[in-house]
Amino acid sequence: MDGAFTPNVLHPACPSRQVLQHLTSRWGALVLIALQDGTLRFSQLRRALGDVSERMLAQTLQTLEADGMVTRTAHDVVPPRVDYALTDIGMEAAGHVRLLARWIEGRLPDILAHRGTGTGC
């Protein structure tokens, strides 16, 4: 074997499975969507997401940064300021996640009807 491998998200040991989890987790997907329109400070991002804790947002951003999806820029000012933005690969991933979110929004009435619940948002 020449050391090459073929990524397979269905294989339990494939790292692609972890990346999929990072991008499609509740906060990972929402961070990608929120940053798709441009750079945001931590506090702006937290407000945009609404109900995320500081700890969970920080953890999600660290994970997405480690995967190369997000860049973190710390400014040497008082008070401290940190900006977050999508990388090129993060922007590409965000586009795919946004498409899934739009599909969900478009099909939400059918999904809720199937559940037998209210009209949603």
Side-chain angles (χ1 to χ4, degrees):
M1 183 173 210
D2 62 2
F5 78 102
T6 303
N8 179 356
V9 76
L10 296 178
H11 191 284
C14 186
S16 63
R17 190 176 275 204
Q18 284 182 321
V19 176
L20 178 65
Q21 194 278 324
H22 298 161
L23 299 180
T24 59
S25 70
R26 176 181 182 183
W27 300 118
L30 294 175
V31 164
L32 290 172
I33 290 170
L35 289 175
Q36 200 173 21
D37 292 330
T39 301
L40 293 174
R41 292 190 321 264
F42 186 90
S43 59
Q44 291 174 311
L45 191 50
R46 186 162 183 231
R47 278 193 300 276
L49 300 183
D51 58 343
V52 63
S53 70
E54 283 188 29
R55 181 177 179 212
M56 183 54 68
L57 180 55
Q59 186 177 22
T60 299
L61 288 165
Q62 288 171 356
T63 299
L64 292 174
E65 185 180 9
D67 285 343
M69 303 293 161
V70 170
T71 59
R72 178 185 187 275
T73 305
H75 301 276
D76 191 18
V77 295
V78 176
R81 178 178 161 188
V82 179
D83 293 330
Y84 294 91
L86 294 175
T87 63
D88 289 342
I89 194 171
M91 188 63 85
E92 184 179 345
H96 293 290
V97 171
R98 171 74 83 177
L99 286 174
L100 177 59
R102 284 189 180 137
W103 178 85
I104 292 167
E105 291 167 344
R107 296 301 300 224
L108 192 58
D110 298 321
I111 294 166
L112 294 177
H114 185 74
R115 286 184 184 175
T117 60
T119 58
C121 312

